[in-house]
Amino acid sequence: MSNKILVTYASRAGSTAGVAEAIGKTLTENGAQVEVLPMQDVTDLTPYRAVVAGSAIQAAQWLPQAMQFMQTHQAALTQKPFAAFLVCMTLAMPNAGKYRPFVADFMQPVRALVKPMSEGLFAGALDIRKVPSLADRLKFRLSVVFGVWKAGDHRDWAAIRAWAAALKPVLAA
Ligand SMILES: Cc1cc2nc3c(=O)[nH]c(=O)nc-3n(C[C@H](O)[C@H](O)[C@H](O)COP(=O)(O)O)c2cc1C
């Protein structure tokens, strides 16, 4: 069987793709064979020994295509070491630590399909100009004005790398 680990992601504006790339890089530096792919490019999990899947959060949920990926590949994923991550802005709020249990609940629908061996919860990035819907742009501008969310890139590369480094032995189990 192949020894390759798949790191796959669903991203709208690119920040989750960047997190997936960083996870893949750390796993590679730790001696794993890794492929990093957007979920829409993955049709078959047979070539992979383990899978790490992650999504951007919108409306407190993994993106629809990420949940579709979980449903399509549920049977295969239950047979392999599997880890999951999410990227969201709640963890970029002041006092983000106190929101971690709330954010961890965003993983519940994923867990209901396949229980991850490890879960990574990461702050993301918000570029309001990249939000396609005018109503959402307005909502986010207001959130920023009222200090709920801070626009900009809040990805914590050290935390992402630390999670990925700890994954290697978990995925080898
Ligand atoms: C329409 C929309 C809805 C969002 N909803 C949430 C949310 O409910 N909770 C949250 O913490 N972050 C939310 N976010 C923030 C995104 O999860 C965050 O910006 C993430 O880094 C985006 O990932 P991407 O660049 O890969 O698309 C939302 C962003 C957008 C554009």
Side-chain angles (χ1 to χ4, degrees), residues 10-17 56-61 63 87-91 103 106 123-126 131-132 136 139-140 149:
S11 178
R12 283 273 161 80
S15 62
T16 306
I57 293 294
Q58 289 202 356
Q61 294 173 323
L63 294 175
V87 179
C88 73
M89 283 307 282
T90 304
L91 292 178
V103 167
F106 299 167
L126 181 66
V131 175
D136 285 336
K139 199 172 74 189
F140 292 139
W149 285 357

Side-chain angles (χ1 to χ4, degrees), residues 76-99:
L77 288 169
T78 53
Q79 303 297 316
K80 298 177 195 280
F82 169 67
F85 66 96
L86 61 77
V87 179
C88 73
M89 283 307 282
T90 304
L91 292 178
M93 287 168 69
N95 290 322
K98 76 172 185 224
Y99 298 109

Side-chain angles (χ1 to χ4, degrees), residues 6 8 39 42-46 51 53 62 65-83 108-116:
L6 173 68
T8 188
M39 282 175 184
V42 179
T43 49
D44 180 13
L45 297 183
T46 317
V51 176
W62 266 24
Q65 70 263 36
M67 288 313 296
Q68 184 59 57
F69 173 91
M70 291 302 299
Q71 262 144 14
T72 305
H73 298 289
Q74 183 185 18
L77 288 169
T78 53
Q79 303 297 316
K80 298 177 195 280
F82 169 67
Q108 197 45 47
V110 177
R111 288 181 207 133
L113 291 169
V114 186
K115 176 118 181 49

Side-chain angles (χ1 to χ4, degrees), residues 34-57:
V34 181
E35 206 165 340
V36 182
L37 289 173
M39 282 175 184
Q40 69 264 24
D41 290 357
V42 179
T43 49
D44 180 13
L45 297 183
T46 317
Y48 306 105
R49 194 185 51 72
V51 176
V52 182
S55 176
I57 293 294

